[in-house]
Amino acid sequence: MADTNFTALTTERKTVWSRDVWKIARNNSFLFNFMGTGVNSMVQRITELTRTERGDQAVITLVPDLEEDGVVGDATLEGNEEAINAYDRVITIDMLRHANRSAGKMAEQKSIVQFRKTSKDVLGYWLGDRLDQMGFLTLSGVPFTAKNNGALRTVNPANRNLSDLAFAGDVSAPSSARHLRWDVSAGDFATADVTAIEATDTPSYKMLVLAKAYAKEQYIKGLRGKGGEEMYHVFMSPTGMAKLKLDPDYIANVRHAYSRGTSNPLFAGTTSVMTDGLVIHEFRYVFNTLGAASGGTPGDLGQKWGSAASVNGQRALLCGAQALGFCDLGTPEWNEEWFDYKNKGGISIGKMFGFLKPDFHSPVNGNAQDFGVLCIDTAI
């Protein structure tokens, strides 16, 4: 097997490999399935920066519905026009990098694994995976110091933590009217409080129906589907989805809503189901507490939920339009270097991007609220 000649890689070939890595990342990223450049996207993807002094910001613009009632008959309209309220929210960007280094030419000679190709695959998967993790933590209002399974991340030296990213400080807790707790005993939502979660407060079809009604009453803008009908995306952890599938009302609804056979999600085992204007998805990075510690201080990050910090829970998400802003600044940068007298090769990628969960002044609540996402805490 011939040795890999890193120095022969031209700028054009580097660009191709860079795009290949980005293609792998996007294909492996669950979040990219919900991205678009328009306002009718759950995740609005912005690819241009605002002209600022530092050039490290992008803007997502939110345009809520008009609030005034207009004029009647021949009453004078001039002078009674309503201004369009537009809320600009700034997305700060930063760069995340990672790299691989080969053990040396002799190690490559002995192995059938091609270092450059393998590195492209694993770095591409890593990038898509971290984008998913951060995107769902941002939607859930959970800081990057936590993993998506509720465990705390290892604290590394400065600039080696996701929490060191420039936009990590913009992650905000769910706003007051966008955060609910499912209370099975009451059969309704209650004030959000993870210490009040009980093991029986598992998700149900009734919870989904009430959540959709609540979202509409709160003017959380849905996504326009065929015929102009509003729909929402709902995300649950795999265990949360399993609990939902055991709910008799959910089973009955899905059974009768679809024809029997392999196309029926009840029998096909699909992870996404459409019912009553809700598309329900199962995804492992929906925030949950399966990896969190138990028996500590209830309510602390890194602890399970409930009054004794012993209940496993999830933060289910109901998302409408512009629930999340994503600044996507170009393809990843691909670099290759030699070390140890050109015996060991190294490959790195770096991607500039940023996340933001936008908020606006809600006409329903009269204060600042998250624009397009509703968080629902349940047991699992």
Side-chain angles (χ1 to χ4, degrees):
M1 181 183 74
D3 293 328
T4 300
N5 184 2
F6 284 96
T7 58
L9 197 67
T10 65
T11 301
E12 289 76 14
R13 290 179 65 192
K14 284 185 179 180
T15 301
V16 171
W17 281 83
S18 173
R19 289 175 178 169
D20 284 347
V21 167
W22 189 220
K23 182 179 179 180
I24 292 171
R26 292 176 64 171
N27 288 344
N28 282 288
S29 171
F30 179 74
L31 204 58
F32 264 88
N33 293 317
F34 309 96
M35 285 190 185
T37 56
V39 297
N40 193 44
S41 305
M42 190 197 101
V43 182
Q44 187 171 355
R45 180 169 167 251
I46 300 167
T47 57
E48 295 181 358
L49 290 180
T50 306
R51 292 184 179 275
T52 61
E53 182 180 348
R54 293 186 298 169
D56 63 350
Q57 296 178 337
V59 171
I60 180 172
T61 301
L62 311 174
V63 182
D65 297 329
L66 296 176
E67 299 178 30
E68 301 293 335
D69 295 327
V71 300
V72 177
D74 291 330
T76 302
L77 179 59
E78 186 175 352
N80 292 305
E81 301 89 351
E82 180 179 356
I84 298 176
N85 289 322
Y87 300 90
D88 288 341
R89 293 296 178 259
V90 174
I91 305 176
T92 301
I93 68 167
D94 206 341
M95 182 165 62
L96 186 64
R97 299 190 299 156
H98 205 2
N100 301 131
R101 185 188 291 202
S102 72
K105 289 181 179 178
M106 196 63 222
E108 285 194 61
Q109 184 70 30
K110 294 178 180 179
S111 175
I112 62 173
V113 177
Q114 296 180 346
F115 173 69
R116 181 183 286 155
K117 183 180 184 301
T118 302
S119 183
K120 179 189 70 174
D121 291 340
V122 298
L123 287 174
Y125 179 85
W126 164 83
L127 180 56
D129 184 75
R130 291 310 182 273
L131 290 175
D132 282 342
Q133 290 187 33
M134 288 182 281
F136 275 87
L137 288 175
T138 303
L139 283 168
S140 303
V142 176
F144 292 168
T145 52
K147 296 181 180 180
N148 296 67
N149 68 353
L152 295 178
R153 293 182 187 271
T154 301
V155 179
N156 295 309
N159 298 317
R160 288 182 55 196
N161 307 280
L162 293 182
S163 56
D164 295 326
L165 287 163
F167 55 85
D170 295 331
V171 176
S172 60
S175 58
S176 58
R178 301 292 190 266
H179 193 188
L180 302 173
R181 171 175 61 89
W182 179 239
D183 186 346
V184 166
S185 61
D188 206 344
F189 294 115
T191 302
D193 180 4
V194 297
T195 65
I197 293 284
E198 298 182 1
T200 55
D201 294 332
T202 54
S204 65
Y205 184 72
K206 181 179 181 180
M207 181 196 82
L208 295 175
V209 173
L210 293 175
K212 180 185 174 184
Y214 181 87
K216 284 182 172 290
E217 290 168 352
Q218 287 289 316
Y219 284 38
I220 297 178
K221 187 181 295 186
L223 298 159
R224 295 290 178 182
K226 293 182 179 179
E229 182 181 355
E230 278 193 336
M231 52 84 68
Y232 299 91
H233 289 290
V234 176
F235 301 93
M236 293 191 185
S237 68
T239 304
M241 190 71 171
K243 297 290 185 180
L244 176 64
K245 288 180 177 179
L246 295 174
D247 175 56
D249 291 337
Y250 174 83
I251 294 173
N253 182 274
V254 175
R255 177 184 294 129
H256 295 298
Y258 294 85
S259 60
R260 292 182 179 273
T262 57
S263 62
N264 190 320
L266 191 66
F267 306 102
T270 182
T271 58
S272 298
V273 176
M274 172 104 183
T275 179
D276 196 30
L278 301 173
V279 185
I280 310 164
H281 307 274
E282 168 194 312
F283 189 51
R284 64 184 181 276
Y285 286 147
V286 171
F287 183 74
N288 61 80
T289 65
L290 292 175
S294 59
T297 304
D300 279 3
L301 191 66
Q303 291 290 321
K304 296 186 187 298
W305 294 349
S307 58
S310 59
V311 176
N312 276 320
Q314 68 167 356
R315 181 156 292 172
L317 303 172
L318 185 149
C319 298
Q322 295 179 289
L324 184 66
F326 173 63
C327 179
D328 178 8
L329 194 60
T331 56
E333 181 177 310
W334 174 282
N335 287 300
E336 301 193 10
E337 297 287 348
W338 281 107
F339 308 95
D340 190 24
Y341 294 93
K342 294 189 176 182
N343 182 58
K344 298 178 180 179
I347 294 175
S348 75
I349 62 167
K351 179 73 178 84
M352 292 186 183
F353 65 96
F355 282 112
L356 181 73
K357 178 182 60 171
D359 66 343
F360 77 124
H361 183 83
S362 168
V364 177
N365 307 104
N367 54 21
Q369 298 291 336
D370 296 333
F371 186 75
V373 60
L374 172 65
C375 295
I376 306 170
D377 292 338
T378 80
I380 56 174

